[in-house]
Amino acid sequence: MSAPTAPKGFRDSLARLKNAQKSNAGAPLYSVLVNRPLGRVFAAMGHQVGLTPNGITAISAVFTFTGIILVATMAPGWLMAVLVGLCLVIGYALDAADGQLARLRGGGSLLGEWLDHVIDSFKIATLHLAVLVMAYRHFDSERWMLVPLGFAAVYVIHFFGMLLTDLLTRVHHAKLGQPAPKKGIPSTLMSVAKLPTDYGFLALIFFTLGAPVVFRWLYTVMFVCTAAYTLMVLFRWARSIAALDAADRAAASGAGR
């Protein structure tokens, strides 16, 4: 890993970060247009004050979990909506900033990647449960409580499936001495299609908690879209892993001849 570079100025850091971005292939529209650019600003600010990527990850966790705690403990209202929405949006942008800062400094670390995924897992597992607690305390529909319960399950399944598919794919190609496959060409249509499943878009919905009926409808639509997308992508992931199994069997058969 290259040694960290000394800050030369905010604009310099921001300009260099533009060349240290992940591919936008497969990224939802909110991430492409809002979250990554905002994260780039936070990463440049962090670079100026000497923060490490893990330090930004910790700050991201503070904002995110403050928002989650407020969802579970405060009564729905416009003040609560603004506080929660800002905490979740800023926390998500900082989550993008840690990786950008790591690339600017010459590359990340295994500990940083582990910490990032652990915090993401904690966030995914608790956000919808906090909505469930809020619904139990303040909403008058017991049936609607099934929505955040189902959302929590779908989000965990999607996140775990994504990570495990990526890991098994990388392990397979590493065994063959091949580089990990690159992502495809960025597609605006795919970015728009994935918008209802994006965590950043979900964070924006919490700004409507001042009007609980509106929040419940938007949240329910996002749950349905996310569940449908997860079901679709699970089949695609299963086919890709099955293809890797077939390639392994073919390679083993060829080696045994």
Side-chain angles (χ1 to χ4, degrees):
M1 185 191 307
S2 303
T5 55
K8 296 180 180 180
F10 176 80
R11 290 190 177 182
D12 175 70
S13 296
L14 196 61
R16 291 163 60 192
L17 277 162
K18 290 183 179 180
N19 298 319
Q21 298 298 300
K22 292 194 297 186
S23 169
N24 286 330
L29 193 63
Y30 178 87
S31 291
V32 174
L33 297 181
V34 180
N35 201 59
R36 289 180 181 177
L38 184 57
R40 189 158 61 240
V41 173
F42 286 146
M45 293 169 61
H47 193 224
Q48 289 304 297
V49 299
L51 282 175
T52 64
N54 289 350
I56 290 186
T57 300
I59 298 171
S60 170
V62 170
F63 274 97
T64 297
F65 295 123
T66 297
I68 292 173
I69 290 170
L70 291 177
V71 171
T73 57
M74 288 185 70
W78 288 114
L79 175 60
M80 179 259 214
V82 171
L83 291 175
V84 170
L86 286 176
C87 283
L88 296 181
V89 167
I90 294 173
Y92 191 41
L94 287 166
D95 186 34
D98 58 7
Q100 297 188 56
L101 179 58
R103 288 188 290 275
L104 180 62
R105 289 162 54 95
S109 65
L110 292 177
L111 176 60
E113 185 173 1
W114 178 87
L115 183 64
D116 190 46
H117 287 325
V118 167
I119 291 177
D120 281 344
S121 299
F122 194 8
K123 169 181 70 181
I124 287 168
T126 56
L127 176 60
H128 299 292
L129 296 182
V131 174
L132 178 64
V133 171
M134 177 181 64
Y136 176 77
R137 296 178 64 221
H138 302 290
F139 296 166
D140 57 1
S141 175
E142 293 183 357
R143 290 183 179 179
W144 191 83
M145 287 191 288
L146 294 173
V147 176
L149 190 62
F151 215 152
V154 167
Y155 242 51
V156 169
I157 292 168
H158 180 271
F159 187 67
F160 178 78
M162 177 183 64
L163 291 183
L164 186 58
T165 301
D166 180 67
L167 175 62
L168 292 177
T169 301
R170 289 177 180 275
V171 168
H172 169 81
H173 287 280
K175 281 168 40 178
L176 299 178
Q178 301 172 347
K182 294 182 179 180
K183 293 185 178 181
I185 300 173
S187 166
T188 301
L189 180 61
M190 181 58 69
S191 293
V192 173
K194 292 178 70 173
L195 183 59
T197 70
D198 186 31
Y199 174 86
F201 194 62
L202 175 65
L204 294 180
I205 287 178
F206 283 85
F207 281 105
T208 69
L209 272 170
V213 173
V214 175
F215 170 81
R216 285 161 59 179
W217 273 105
L218 292 174
Y219 184 89
T220 301
V221 169
M222 275 208 72
F223 164 59
V224 172
C225 292
T226 303
Y229 176 79
T230 299
L231 184 62
M232 177 188 70
V233 80
L234 282 175
F235 281 108
R236 182 165 64 84
W237 287 337
R239 287 197 302 269
S240 70
I241 297 301
L244 297 182
D245 278 336
D248 282 342
R249 288 193 296 269
S253 175
R257 292 177 182 174

